[in-house]
Amino acid sequence: MSGNKGENEVDEVIKELKKNKGCHGYVIMNNDGIVIRHEQMEYKTAVHHAYLVLDLCAKAKDHIRQLFEAPENEVESLRLKTCFYEMIISQYGNFTLVVLQQDEPVVAKGTTAETEEKKAE
């Protein structure tokens, strides 16, 4: 029963994530790199993300511990942004969630592709 309740909670969180504008996909993995769930990408890509993300998280934690000596300084989440997408990484317990979001393409500084299309009309 308790396992079923946990699955329902995960499903609810995923539904809420998908409601956000630009949500492109996600990967849920355990901290051993085993992909549990993924969406909007091939399994091979999800495994590749899992390997790289867990390595990045481990390195980030080590560097934060070196920079800040207080024991309560712990990395909870990472946010990476490129020209094409944004990756939000969060670890909780033995699980890691990676959410990929797509940004609106920027045409010129301060404008978006949508406003450029309206100007063209």
PDB file of all heavy atoms in Angstrom, residues 88-111:
ATOM      1  N   ILE A  88      16.969  21.673 -14.729  1.00  0.00           N
ATOM      2  CA  ILE A  88      16.852  21.849 -13.284  1.00  0.00           C
ATOM      3  C   ILE A  88      17.043  20.476 -12.655  1.00  0.00           C
ATOM      4  O   ILE A  88      16.339  19.526 -12.980  1.00  0.00           O
ATOM      5  CB  ILE A  88      15.490  22.444 -12.910  1.00  0.00           C
ATOM      6  CG1 ILE A  88      15.315  23.783 -13.630  1.00  0.00           C
ATOM      7  CG2 ILE A  88      15.361  22.603 -11.408  1.00  0.00           C
ATOM      8  CD1 ILE A  88      13.921  24.306 -13.650  1.00  0.00           C
ATOM      9  N   ILE A  89      18.010  20.389 -11.751  1.00  0.00           N
ATOM     10  CA  ILE A  89      18.388  19.123 -11.131  1.00  0.00           C
ATOM     11  C   ILE A  89      18.137  19.222  -9.637  1.00  0.00           C
ATOM     12  O   ILE A  89      18.590  20.177  -8.994  1.00  0.00           O
ATOM     13  CB  ILE A  89      19.881  18.810 -11.370  1.00  0.00           C
ATOM     14  CG1 ILE A  89      20.193  18.854 -12.872  1.00  0.00           C
ATOM     15  CG2 ILE A  89      20.259  17.474 -10.754  1.00  0.00           C
ATOM     16  CD1 ILE A  89      21.679  18.953 -13.164  1.00  0.00           C
ATOM     17  N   SER A  90      17.440  18.261  -9.086  1.00  0.00           N
ATOM     18  CA  SER A  90      17.161  18.252  -7.659  1.00  0.00           C
ATOM     19  C   SER A  90      17.356  16.844  -7.115  1.00  0.00           C
ATOM     20  O   SER A  90      16.854  15.880  -7.686  1.00  0.00           O
ATOM     21  CB  SER A  90      15.730  18.723  -7.409  1.00  0.00           C
ATOM     22  OG  SER A  90      15.462  18.736  -6.033  1.00  0.00           O
ATOM     23  N   GLN A  91      18.089  16.754  -6.021  1.00  0.00           N
ATOM     24  CA  GLN A  91      18.302  15.457  -5.372  1.00  0.00           C
ATOM     25  C   GLN A  91      17.579  15.443  -4.035  1.00  0.00           C
ATOM     26  O   GLN A  91      17.622  16.417  -3.280  1.00  0.00           O
ATOM     27  CB  GLN A  91      19.786  15.198  -5.147  1.00  0.00           C
ATOM     28  CG  GLN A  91      20.537  14.925  -6.429  1.00  0.00           C
ATOM     29  CD  GLN A  91      21.957  14.501  -6.175  1.00  0.00           C
ATOM     30  OE1 GLN A  91      22.683  15.131  -5.424  1.00  0.00           O
ATOM     31  NE2 GLN A  91      22.359  13.425  -6.821  1.00  0.00           N
ATOM     32  N   TYR A  92      16.912  14.340  -3.764  1.00  0.00           N
ATOM     33  CA  TYR A  92      16.233  14.161  -2.493  1.00  0.00           C
ATOM     34  C   TYR A  92      16.357  12.701  -2.107  1.00  0.00           C
ATOM     35  O   TYR A  92      15.919  11.816  -2.837  1.00  0.00           O
ATOM     36  CB  TYR A  92      14.751  14.559  -2.593  1.00  0.00           C
ATOM     37  CG  TYR A  92      14.037  14.475  -1.275  1.00  0.00           C
ATOM     38  CD1 TYR A  92      14.215  15.458  -0.309  1.00  0.00           C
ATOM     39  CD2 TYR A  92      13.212  13.404  -0.980  1.00  0.00           C
ATOM     40  CE1 TYR A  92      13.579  15.385   0.903  1.00  0.00           C
ATOM     41  CE2 TYR A  92      12.567  13.310   0.229  1.00  0.00           C
ATOM     42  CZ  TYR A  92      12.746  14.310   1.173  1.00  0.00           C
ATOM     43  OH  TYR A  92      12.127  14.228   2.387  1.00  0.00           O
ATOM     44  N   GLY A  93      16.992  12.462  -0.972  1.00  0.00           N
ATOM     45  CA  GLY A  93      17.201  11.086  -0.527  1.00  0.00           C
ATOM     46  C   GLY A  93      18.059  10.331  -1.520  1.00  0.00           C
ATOM     47  O   GLY A  93      19.140  10.774  -1.892  1.00  0.00           O
ATOM     48  N   ASN A  94      17.562   9.212  -2.000  1.00  0.00           N
ATOM     49  CA  ASN A  94      18.303   8.375  -2.938  1.00  0.00           C
ATOM     50  C   ASN A  94      17.846   8.590  -4.383  1.00  0.00           C
ATOM     51  O   ASN A  94      18.137   7.777  -5.249  1.00  0.00           O
ATOM     52  CB  ASN A  94      18.148   6.894  -2.551  1.00  0.00           C
ATOM     53  CG  ASN A  94      19.118   6.013  -3.306  1.00  0.00           C
ATOM     54  OD1 ASN A  94      20.242   6.412  -3.591  1.00  0.00           O
ATOM     55  ND2 ASN A  94      18.675   4.818  -3.658  1.00  0.00           N
ATOM     56  N   PHE A  95      17.127   9.692  -4.637  1.00  0.00           N
ATOM     57  CA  PHE A  95      16.583   9.913  -5.969  1.00  0.00           C
ATOM     58  C   PHE A  95      16.980  11.284  -6.502  1.00  0.00           C
ATOM     59  O   PHE A  95      17.186  12.223  -5.745  1.00  0.00           O
ATOM     60  CB  PHE A  95      15.059   9.782  -5.966  1.00  0.00           C
ATOM     61  CG  PHE A  95      14.608   8.413  -5.569  1.00  0.00           C
ATOM     62  CD1 PHE A  95      14.230   8.152  -4.270  1.00  0.00           C
ATOM     63  CD2 PHE A  95      14.588   7.386  -6.490  1.00  0.00           C
ATOM     64  CE1 PHE A  95      13.827   6.885  -3.895  1.00  0.00           C
ATOM     65  CE2 PHE A  95      14.189   6.116  -6.130  1.00  0.00           C
ATOM     66  CZ  PHE A  95      13.813   5.861  -4.827  1.00  0.00           C
ATOM     67  N   THR A  96      17.064  11.372  -7.820  1.00  0.00           N
ATOM     68  CA  THR A  96      17.393  12.618  -8.505  1.00  0.00           C
ATOM     69  C   THR A  96      16.362  12.856  -9.590  1.00  0.00           C
ATOM     70  O   THR A  96      16.015  11.950 -10.340  1.00  0.00           O
ATOM     71  CB  THR A  96      18.803  12.543  -9.128  1.00  0.00           C
ATOM     72  OG1 THR A  96      19.748  12.275  -8.091  1.00  0.00           O
ATOM     73  CG2 THR A  96      19.170  13.836  -9.819  1.00  0.00           C
ATOM     74  N   LEU A  97      15.883  14.091  -9.660  1.00  0.00           N
ATOM     75  CA  LEU A  97      14.935  14.507 -10.686  1.00  0.00           C
ATOM     76  C   LEU A  97      15.612  15.538 -11.569  1.00  0.00           C
ATOM     77  O   LEU A  97      16.199  16.503 -11.081  1.00  0.00           O
ATOM     78  CB  LEU A  97      13.687  15.121 -10.047  1.00  0.00           C
ATOM     79  CG  LEU A  97      12.695  15.816 -10.983  1.00  0.00           C
ATOM     80  CD1 LEU A  97      12.048  14.807 -11.920  1.00  0.00           C
ATOM     81  CD2 LEU A  97      11.646  16.569 -10.182  1.00  0.00           C
ATOM     82  N   VAL A  98      15.542  15.320 -12.868  1.00  0.00           N
ATOM     83  CA  VAL A  98      16.066  16.264 -13.852  1.00  0.00           C
ATOM     84  C   VAL A  98      14.892  16.691 -14.722  1.00  0.00           C
ATOM     85  O   VAL A  98      14.213  15.855 -15.302  1.00  0.00           O
ATOM     86  CB  VAL A  98      17.158  15.622 -14.734  1.00  0.00           C
ATOM     87  CG1 VAL A  98      17.644  16.593 -15.793  1.00  0.00           C
ATOM     88  CG2 VAL A  98      18.312  15.129 -13.880  1.00  0.00           C
ATOM     89  N   VAL A  99      14.660  17.997 -14.787  1.00  0.00           N
ATOM     90  CA  VAL A  99      13.588  18.543 -15.611  1.00  0.00           C
ATOM     91  C   VAL A  99      14.226  19.384 -16.701  1.00  0.00           C
ATOM     92  O   VAL A  99      15.078  20.227 -16.429  1.00  0.00           O
ATOM     93  CB  VAL A  99      12.612  19.399 -14.782  1.00  0.00           C
ATOM     94  CG1 VAL A  99      11.533  19.999 -15.670  1.00  0.00           C
ATOM     95  CG2 VAL A  99      11.992  18.578 -13.673  1.00  0.00           C
ATOM     96  N   LEU A 100      13.816  19.147 -17.941  1.00  0.00           N
ATOM     97  CA  LEU A 100      14.281  19.936 -19.071  1.00  0.00           C
ATOM     98  C   LEU A 100      13.168  20.880 -19.487  1.00  0.00           C
ATOM     99  O   LEU A 100      12.033  20.450 -19.689  1.00  0.00           O
ATOM    100  CB  LEU A 100      14.648  19.033 -20.251  1.00  0.00           C
ATOM    101  CG  LEU A 100      15.783  18.048 -19.993  1.00  0.00           C
ATOM    102  CD1 LEU A 100      15.937  17.121 -21.181  1.00  0.00           C
ATOM    103  CD2 LEU A 100      17.072  18.783 -19.737  1.00  0.00           C
ATOM    104  N   GLN A 101      13.515  22.161 -19.603  1.00  0.00           N
ATOM    105  CA  GLN A 101      12.561  23.160 -20.055  1.00  0.00           C
ATOM    106  C   GLN A 101      13.121  23.837 -21.281  1.00  0.00           C
ATOM    107  O   GLN A 101      14.316  24.106 -21.356  1.00  0.00           O
ATOM    108  CB  GLN A 101      12.327  24.219 -18.980  1.00  0.00           C
ATOM    109  CG  GLN A 101      11.551  23.719 -17.793  1.00  0.00           C
ATOM    110  CD  GLN A 101      11.254  24.839 -16.839  1.00  0.00           C
ATOM    111  OE1 GLN A 101      12.160  25.491 -16.359  1.00  0.00           O
ATOM    112  NE2 GLN A 101       9.988  25.063 -16.558  1.00  0.00           N
ATOM    113  N   GLN A 102      12.245  24.140 -22.226  1.00  0.00           N
ATOM    114  CA  GLN A 102      12.672  24.864 -23.405  1.00  0.00           C
ATOM    115  C   GLN A 102      12.287  26.324 -23.241  1.00  0.00           C
ATOM    116  O   GLN A 102      11.148  26.638 -22.896  1.00  0.00           O
ATOM    117  CB  GLN A 102      12.021  24.309 -24.667  1.00  0.00           C
ATOM    118  CG  GLN A 102      12.648  23.028 -25.116  1.00  0.00           C
ATOM    119  CD  GLN A 102      12.136  22.597 -26.478  1.00  0.00           C
ATOM    120  OE1 GLN A 102      10.962  22.722 -26.755  1.00  0.00           O
ATOM    121  NE2 GLN A 102      13.036  22.087 -27.287  1.00  0.00           N
ATOM    122  N   ASP A 103      13.249  27.200 -23.498  1.00  0.00           N
ATOM    123  CA  ASP A 103      12.984  28.626 -23.468  1.00  0.00           C
ATOM    124  C   ASP A 103      12.435  29.060 -24.808  1.00  0.00           C
ATOM    125  O   ASP A 103      12.635  28.401 -25.819  1.00  0.00           O
ATOM    126  CB  ASP A 103      14.273  29.406 -23.186  1.00  0.00           C
ATOM    127  CG  ASP A 103      14.707  29.285 -21.736  1.00  0.00           C
ATOM    128  OD1 ASP A 103      13.856  28.954 -20.896  1.00  0.00           O
ATOM    129  OD2 ASP A 103      15.880  29.539 -21.454  1.00  0.00           O
ATOM    130  N   GLU A 104      11.776  30.215 -24.808  1.00  0.00           N
ATOM    131  CA  GLU A 104      11.385  30.807 -26.080  1.00  0.00           C
ATOM    132  C   GLU A 104      12.646  31.265 -26.778  1.00  0.00           C
ATOM    133  O   GLU A 104      13.520  31.862 -26.154  1.00  0.00           O
ATOM    134  CB  GLU A 104      10.481  32.025 -25.853  1.00  0.00           C
ATOM    135  CG  GLU A 104       9.031  31.700 -25.743  1.00  0.00           C
ATOM    136  CD  GLU A 104       8.186  32.962 -25.766  1.00  0.00           C
ATOM    137  OE1 GLU A 104       8.561  33.940 -26.431  1.00  0.00           O
ATOM    138  OE2 GLU A 104       7.169  32.953 -25.103  1.00  0.00           O
ATOM    139  N   PRO A 105      12.790  30.991 -28.055  1.00  0.00           N
ATOM    140  CA  PRO A 105      13.993  31.439 -28.750  1.00  0.00           C
ATOM    141  C   PRO A 105      14.069  32.961 -28.785  1.00  0.00           C
ATOM    142  O   PRO A 105      13.074  33.622 -29.067  1.00  0.00           O
ATOM    143  CB  PRO A 105      13.842  30.861 -30.156  1.00  0.00           C
ATOM    144  CG  PRO A 105      12.411  30.510 -30.281  1.00  0.00           C
ATOM    145  CD  PRO A 105      11.870  30.283 -28.919  1.00  0.00           C
ATOM    146  N   VAL A 106      15.227  33.490 -28.457  1.00  0.00           N
ATOM    147  CA  VAL A 106      15.433  34.921 -28.445  1.00  0.00           C
ATOM    148  C   VAL A 106      16.002  35.338 -29.785  1.00  0.00           C
ATOM    149  O   VAL A 106      17.030  34.836 -30.224  1.00  0.00           O
ATOM    150  CB  VAL A 106      16.387  35.333 -27.300  1.00  0.00           C
ATOM    151  CG1 VAL A 106      16.673  36.816 -27.364  1.00  0.00           C
ATOM    152  CG2 VAL A 106      15.788  34.947 -25.965  1.00  0.00           C
ATOM    153  N   VAL A 107      15.314  36.278 -30.458  1.00  0.00           N
ATOM    154  CA  VAL A 107      15.747  36.744 -31.766  1.00  0.00           C
ATOM    155  C   VAL A 107      16.736  37.885 -31.611  1.00  0.00           C
ATOM    156  O   VAL A 107      17.813  37.881 -32.160  1.00  0.00           O
ATOM    157  CB  VAL A 107      14.524  37.177 -32.609  1.00  0.00           C
ATOM    158  CG1 VAL A 107      14.973  37.767 -33.930  1.00  0.00           C
ATOM    159  CG2 VAL A 107      13.609  36.001 -32.825  1.00  0.00           C
ATOM    160  N   ALA A 108      16.375  38.883 -30.863  1.00  0.00           N
ATOM    161  CA  ALA A 108      17.254  40.020 -30.590  1.00  0.00           C
ATOM    162  C   ALA A 108      17.110  40.365 -29.121  1.00  0.00           C
ATOM    163  O   ALA A 108      16.140  39.979 -28.475  1.00  0.00           O
ATOM    164  CB  ALA A 108      16.866  41.209 -31.456  1.00  0.00           C
ATOM    165  N   LYS A 109      18.055  41.078 -28.599  1.00  0.00           N
ATOM    166  CA  LYS A 109      18.038  41.400 -27.182  1.00  0.00           C
ATOM    167  C   LYS A 109      16.735  42.121 -26.829  1.00  0.00           C
ATOM    168  O   LYS A 109      16.390  43.128 -27.422  1.00  0.00           O
ATOM    169  CB  LYS A 109      19.237  42.283 -26.828  1.00  0.00           C
ATOM    170  CG  LYS A 109      19.432  42.426 -25.353  1.00  0.00           C
ATOM    171  CD  LYS A 109      20.737  43.096 -25.041  1.00  0.00           C
ATOM    172  CE  LYS A 109      20.953  43.075 -23.543  1.00  0.00           C
ATOM    173  NZ  LYS A 109      22.231  43.602 -23.190  1.00  0.00           N
ATOM    174  N   GLY A 110      16.004  41.564 -25.884  1.00  0.00           N
ATOM    175  CA  GLY A 110      14.764  42.165 -25.432  1.00  0.00           C
ATOM    176  C   GLY A 110      13.531  41.765 -26.230  1.00  0.00           C
ATOM    177  O   GLY A 110      12.433  42.157 -25.894  1.00  0.00           O
ATOM    178  N   THR A 111      13.662  40.981 -27.284  1.00  0.00           N
ATOM    179  CA  THR A 111      12.509  40.537 -28.059  1.00  0.00           C
ATOM    180  C   THR A 111      12.534  39.024 -28.173  1.00  0.00           C
ATOM    181  O   THR A 111      13.560  38.397 -28.011  1.00  0.00           O
ATOM    182  CB  THR A 111      12.501  41.145 -29.481  1.00  0.00           C
ATOM    183  OG1 THR A 111      13.658  40.679 -30.180  1.00  0.00           O
ATOM    184  CG2 THR A 111      12.476  42.652 -29.441  1.00  0.00           C
TER     185      THR A 111
END
